[in-house]
């Protein structure tokens, strides 16, 4: 009974920890969406800036509290649309200042022309004065190309300021708007435009790529892994040969470990292996088996040399016995070898994806499954269809940019059913495309994903699609994954599953 009472609190603590981890991960994934990041920034920075200005207004006489309503609205407009052409710190300061100056001129005209016989302190804002201030503001902002909505608010508020304090009001506008502009410029340059470095794991990961070799060495998949790893200075490729029996794995390791003398040692010399001193030939099962192992090892070494020579990326070779489940072995070796991406060849059985590939895609790490069409090892024209913004979309685009290189072209697309969805799709793709330091084309076709990809396939070297891990079995039965619906596509296909 006592053990049960102790077990229940522990189970509750574990449950709370799991929920907390999921909440943190969910929050981080939501933060990776540009719209969410912008809203969070508005919640954090706009109140802080307005609060700071309010504090300064209580300490400095020339900072007018009248300015704060248009200043708050203008600050929100800056942070809400950081990539818009109007989101310029210079335009922001110039626009508000122009509104204040136009109010100053309108009040001066009223003092000296309209009400010359009244004291300046007795002049109040009237309809003609307000109309003149707004008209003058419109003319000035249009002529100087500094149209700023908040400038009109500043002009109207300036009419309420005592004529004797108009100069200090203009100075107040210049100082306070400049402070906001500096905060916005630093935020946009140091954080918003660098958000990929801080938020998107895919742009800093995939340095070490594991390539499981099943059967003959797959050069195309190995090269796609090498090109992804080569984009980072710390990149590395690890070739993994998974065999069924421990004795074969031991013999193959011996051949690989003996380097230049592998052929001599495998032909009958007394070369001992790490498994306990038996000959590689005996472990392998005879002359025929040793010859097959020699051919396998030669292919692996040749493939590793090609990666190192062509791409200038270090390439290691690991041999492991499957121990029952090849997919489990691949995931285990990837973890032990400190690899953060698995790049595996695409496999089918009776027209369906093999359980091995399905298990790899379900692994809680980055996985790229590559289906080669014609053995291509260089990809310059790449199309990335995305369903929604998120970490998987960023990973797909990042891999595409690495593969295309400086001379390639990456096109990101989102298919829509009706024109009503076009604006939302354009904004989503714009947010995705501006994250990497790469010129990306965006496309919003009104078509199904299958028909669109079949249309662009002849001019595309590679199509990169995502593999959703959060769909139920029933959902997959009703609507199969995209990569299963385009299995007849006449171009290379990369399926990306992001952790």
């Amino acid at each position: 009974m006592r053990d049960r009472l102790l077990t229940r609190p522990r189970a509750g603590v574990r449950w709370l920890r799991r929920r907390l981890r999921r909440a943190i991960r969910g929050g981080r994934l939501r933060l990776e969406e540009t719209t969410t990041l912008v809203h969070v920034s508005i919640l954090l920075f706009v109140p802080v800036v307005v609060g700071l200005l309010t504090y300064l207004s209580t300490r400095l006489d020339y900072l007018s509290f009248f300015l704060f309503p248009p200043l708050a609205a203008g600050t929100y407009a800056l942070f809400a649309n950081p990539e818009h052409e109007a989101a310029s710190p210079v335009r922001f300061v110039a626009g508000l200042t122009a509104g204040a100056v136009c109010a100053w001129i309108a009040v001066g005209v009223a003092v000296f022309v309209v009400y010359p016989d009244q004291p300046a302190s007795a002049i109040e804002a009237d309809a003609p004065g307000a109309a003149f201030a707004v008209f003058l503001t419109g003319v000035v902002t249009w002529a100087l190309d500094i149209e700023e909505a908040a400038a009109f608010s500043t002009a109207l508020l300036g009419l309420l300021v005592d004529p004797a304090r108009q100069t200090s009001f203009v100075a107040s506008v210049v100082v306070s708007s400049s402070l906001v502009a500096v905060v916005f410029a630093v935020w946009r340059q140091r954080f918003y435009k660098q958000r990929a470095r801080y938020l998107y794991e895919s742009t800093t990961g995939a340095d070490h790529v594991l390539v499981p070799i099943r059967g003959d060495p797959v050069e195309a998949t190995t090269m796609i892994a090498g090109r992804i790893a080569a984009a980072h200075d710390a990149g590395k490729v690890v070739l993994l040969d998974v065999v069924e029996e421990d004795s074969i794995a031991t013999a193959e390791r011996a051949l690989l470990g003996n380097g230049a003398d592998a052929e001599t040692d495998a032909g009958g010399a007394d070369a001992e292996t790490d498994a306990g001193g038996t000959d590689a030939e005996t472990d392998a099962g005879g002359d025929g088996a040793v010859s097959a192992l020699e051919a396998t090892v030669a292919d692996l070494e040749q493939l590793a040399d090609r990666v190192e020579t062509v791409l200038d990326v270090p390439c290691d070779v690991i041999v492991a016995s499957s121990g029952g489940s090849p997919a489990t072995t691949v995931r285990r070796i990837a973890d032990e070898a400190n690899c953060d991406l698995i790049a595996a060849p695409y496999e089918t059985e009776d027209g369906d994806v093999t359980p091995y590939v399905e298990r790899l895609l379900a692994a809680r790490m980055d996985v790229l499954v590559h289906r080669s069409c014609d053995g291509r090892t260089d990809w310059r024209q790449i199309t990335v269809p995305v369903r929604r913004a998120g970490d998987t979309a960023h990973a797909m685009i990042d891999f595409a940019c690495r593969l295309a290189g400086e001379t390639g072209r990456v096109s990101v697309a989102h298919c829509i059913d009706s024109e009503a969805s076009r604006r939302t799709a354009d904004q989503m793709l714009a947010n995705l495309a501006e994250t990497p330091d790469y010129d990306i084309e965006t496309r919003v076709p009104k078509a199904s994903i299958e028909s669109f990809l079949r249309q662009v396939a002849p001019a595309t070297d590679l199509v990169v699609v995502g593999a959703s891990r959060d769909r139920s079995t029933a959902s997959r039965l009703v609507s199969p994954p995209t990569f299963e619906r385009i299995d007849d596509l006449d171009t290379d296909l990369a399926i990306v599953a992001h952790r």
Side-chain angles (χ1 to χ4, degrees):
M1 178 63 70
R2 182 171 178 271
D3 292 341
R4 290 182 180 178
L5 293 176
L6 291 175
T7 302
R8 290 178 181 176
R10 292 172 183 170
V13 170
R14 288 195 297 269
W15 180 83
L16 287 175
R17 287 177 178 174
R18 288 195 301 268
R19 298 290 295 182
L20 181 60
R21 285 195 297 267
R22 290 178 183 176
I24 294 175
R25 174 175 171 78
R28 183 187 61 78
L29 296 182
R30 285 292 304 276
L31 196 60
E32 288 187 355
E33 299 180 14
T34 300
T35 53
T36 304
L37 176 64
V38 168
H39 284 302
V40 171
S41 297
I42 290 172
L43 292 176
L44 293 178
F45 285 94
V46 175
V48 170
V49 171
V50 173
L52 175 61
L53 291 175
T54 304
Y55 172 79
L56 292 177
S57 69
T58 62
R59 298 293 187 273
L60 304 174
D61 293 336
Y62 66 87
L63 281 183
S64 174
F65 192 81
F66 277 119
L67 176 63
F68 291 175
L71 193 66
T75 304
Y76 173 85
L78 282 177
F79 282 93
N81 301 281
E83 293 294 337
H84 195 273
E85 61 178 4
S88 166
V90 174
R91 288 169 61 97
F92 177 74
V93 175
L96 290 178
T97 303
V101 171
C102 290
W104 187 11
I105 294 175
V107 171
V109 170
V111 170
F112 294 104
V113 178
V114 181
Y115 307 105
D117 298 330
Q118 298 183 19
S121 58
I123 296 177
E124 297 181 356
D126 55 10
F132 178 67
V134 171
F135 171 76
L136 189 60
T137 301
V139 171
V140 171
T141 56
W142 184 18
L144 299 179
D145 192 25
I146 53 171
E147 294 180 81
E148 177 66 48
F152 296 93
S153 300
T154 306
L156 289 175
L157 288 174
L159 297 178
L160 303 177
V161 178
D162 190 324
R165 296 177 59 85
Q166 286 291 331
T167 304
S168 62
F169 178 72
V170 174
S172 172
V173 171
V174 174
V175 172
S176 56
S177 61
S178 298
L179 178 60
V180 172
V182 168
V183 172
F184 170 74
V186 172
W187 170 81
R188 186 173 64 176
Q189 189 65 33
R190 298 295 183 181
F191 180 75
Y192 180 79
K193 289 188 176 182
Q194 304 294 326
R195 61 192 183 279
R197 179 188 305 175
Y198 305 117
L199 296 178
Y200 308 136
E201 294 179 352
S202 62
T203 61
T204 57
D207 291 335
H208 295 180
V209 187
L210 180 74
V211 183
I213 305 297
R214 285 165 58 88
D216 295 332
V218 184
E219 181 177 355
T221 303
T222 304
M223 294 302 288
I224 205 172
R227 293 189 185 280
I228 290 175
H232 289 173
D233 294 336
K236 179 181 178 181
V237 175
V238 178
L239 302 181
L240 171 63
D241 188 19
V242 180
V243 298
E244 294 293 334
E245 299 179 7
D246 291 339
S247 59
I248 297 178
T250 300
E252 192 168 333
R253 290 192 199 101
L255 293 173
L256 287 167
N258 287 334
D261 297 328
E263 181 177 351
T264 303
D265 292 341
D270 294 330
E272 292 187 348
T273 69
D274 295 336
T278 59
D279 290 342
E281 178 180 336
T282 304
D283 284 348
D287 293 338
V290 169
S291 298
L293 284 180
E294 287 179 342
T296 299
V297 169
D299 289 339
L300 289 171
E301 291 180 334
Q302 182 179 3
L303 191 57
D305 290 340
R306 176 167 170 74
V307 171
E308 293 180 344
T309 302
V310 175
L311 303 177
D312 193 23
V313 177
C315 187
D316 295 339
V317 180
I318 295 177
V319 181
S321 55
S322 63
S325 173
T328 302
T329 301
V330 170
R331 295 199 299 263
R332 176 177 57 82
I333 297 299
D335 184 62
E336 293 175 355
N338 195 30
C339 293
D340 42 15
L341 173 66
I342 298 174
Y346 188 76
E347 295 183 9
T348 59
E349 188 176 73
D350 297 329
D352 296 326
V353 179
T354 61
Y356 163 76
V357 172
E358 291 180 344
R359 293 190 184 100
L360 283 184
L361 291 175
R364 289 301 170 184
M365 67 178 301
D366 286 356
V367 178
L368 185 148
V369 176
H370 174 231
R371 191 199 68 188
S372 178
C373 181
D374 54 7
R376 179 188 299 273
T377 59
D378 191 18
W379 301 267
R380 296 301 175 187
Q381 308 295 323
I382 302 177
T383 299
V384 185
V386 297
R387 183 164 58 96
R388 63 184 180 186
D391 55 340
T392 300
H394 288 293
M396 293 159 57
I397 295 172
D398 177 56
F399 293 158
C401 293
R402 298 195 203 184
L403 292 170
E406 296 180 357
T407 61
R409 179 182 63 85
V410 175
S411 176
V412 181
H414 177 75
C415 296
I416 58 175
D417 298 326
S418 64
E419 289 296 328
S421 306
R422 183 172 297 278
R423 178 174 296 181
T424 302
D426 282 332
Q427 185 61 52
M428 178 189 70
L429 293 184
N431 291 336
L432 289 172
E434 70 189 19
T435 302
D437 186 17
Y438 199 94
D439 291 333
I440 296 178
E441 176 190 14
T442 60
R443 304 181 63 177
V444 184
K446 185 182 176 182
S448 65
I449 182 66
E450 298 94 330
S451 61
F452 168 70
L453 291 180
R454 290 189 178 95
Q455 179 183 355
V456 301
T460 302
D461 298 334
L462 177 69
V463 172
V464 183
V465 299
S468 176
R469 288 169 169 165
D470 55 1
R471 295 180 59 190
S472 63
T473 303
S475 174
R476 293 177 181 273
L477 290 175
V478 174
S479 177
T482 301
F483 66 86
E484 292 185 4
R485 303 200 303 269
I486 56 173
D487 56 356
D488 60 341
L489 206 62
D490 190 22
T491 189
D492 280 19
L493 179 68
I495 308 162
V496 174
H498 186 61
R499 61 182 180 276

